[in-house]
Amino acid sequence: MSKKDTELKPKPAPESGKGFSRRGFLGTSTAAGAVGSGLMEQTAEAAQGAGGKGITLAGETEITLNINGQPRKVTVEPRTTLLDALRDRMEVTGAKRVCDRGTCGACSVIVNGKVSYGCTMLAIDAQGKRIQTIEGFGNHPVINAFVQHDGLQCGYCTPGMVVAAKALLDRNPRPSSQEILEGMGGNLCRCGTYVGIKQAVAEAAKELRGGRNA
Ligand code: FES
Ligand code: FES
């Protein structure tokens, strides 16, 4: 072998000592992963033992959610969002998944009286809370008002809009024009039907007051 060949030949990666090798790295990270998952299980056990009843850090677990006044059992992972639990595991599909990152409001539900984005709340955190979805609204006047005032085009934002409108009217039966804008401010309509939506909310408020203007 010539001197030139020797110079071009790549040096073998060191397997031990101060050097760093890919095989060594994989071995180390696998061991770290094993330690990490063991630690997680220990932490979960510790949480249970420390009175952290109901805390689950890994694996699936059965929880009970109060949906529209009914207790419903569902099996979820700790990372499962309320929206995913509703849509994918409970067949409650009124709340829509659009942005899936807390910006559009299509996934809106009412939790303990407040509008919440289902895509940003964990299902396990919704235990013990009153969850209202559009399926539980019956013939609420706000639904008819959206139809009467053309408050929708494609309709994808509409369930979330209706939920936000109901939550607004539940806490404020006489919203001003500005209060309607603010109350609906967490919901986006890409079709731009805001004029109809605002009229629908005002009309539903009037209807709920028995037709009185104020
Ligand atoms: S899908 Fe939840 S905010 Fe858009
Ligand atoms: S009606 Fe299409 S996004 Fe609102």
Side-chain angles (χ1 to χ4, degrees):
M1 189 183 291
S2 68
K3 185 169 183 288
K4 197 172 176 187
D5 288 342
T6 309
E7 285 170 352
L8 288 176
K9 192 176 176 187
K11 291 179 183 170
E15 293 287 336
S16 60
K18 290 184 181 174
F20 180 81
S21 75
R22 188 165 44 179
R23 187 180 305 169
F25 168 75
L26 290 174
T28 305
S29 51
T30 303
V35 169
S37 74
L39 186 62
M40 189 173 257
E41 283 166 17
Q42 284 174 19
T43 309
E45 283 170 15
Q48 297 279 357
K53 191 166 181 288
I55 295 176
T56 304
L57 301 180
E60 294 205 327
T61 188
E62 186 180 81
I63 62 173
T64 301
L65 297 178
N66 185 326
I67 311 291
N68 299 320
Q70 299 291 322
R72 298 269 311 264
K73 290 189 186 303
V74 60
T75 300
V76 296
E77 293 179 63
R79 63 179 177 164
T80 304
T81 64
L82 176 58
L83 179 66
D84 288 346
L86 289 169
R87 290 186 58 83
D88 301 340
R89 301 193 173 214
M90 307 174 84
E91 297 185 6
V92 180
T93 56
K96 304 299 182 213
R97 184 185 300 111
V98 177
C99 71
D100 210 14
R101 58 188 61 195
T103 56
C104 75
C107 61
S108 294
V109 294
I110 302 175
V111 180
N112 280 355
K114 288 179 65 176
V115 186
S116 304
Y117 292 157
C119 71
T120 59
M121 172 178 278
L122 292 175
I124 55 174
D125 285 340
Q127 293 176 90
K129 297 178 177 163
R130 287 175 287 109
I131 301 156
Q132 288 178 267
T133 69
I134 193 169
E135 284 88 347
F137 288 3
N139 292 324
H140 194 281
V142 80
I143 296 174
N144 190 41
F146 266 73
V147 175
Q148 296 303 319
H149 289 273
D150 281 337
L152 63 151
Q153 281 188 30
C154 77
Y156 230 75
C157 71
T158 312
M161 289 286 184
V162 169
V163 167
K166 180 178 182 297
L168 167 64
L169 299 180
D170 283 350
R171 69 176 184 275
N172 181 3
R174 290 178 177 76
S176 64
S177 181
Q178 182 60 30
E179 287 169 338
I180 292 175
L181 284 181
E182 289 170 5
M184 304 297 291
N187 293 65
L188 302 178
C189 173
R190 288 167 300 169
C191 299
T193 60
Y194 294 109
V195 172
I197 289 170
K198 196 175 164 196
Q199 290 172 346
V201 178
E203 179 69 24
K206 186 175 170 184
E207 175 88 16
L208 286 165
R209 294 194 302 266
R212 293 187 300 279
N213 282 323

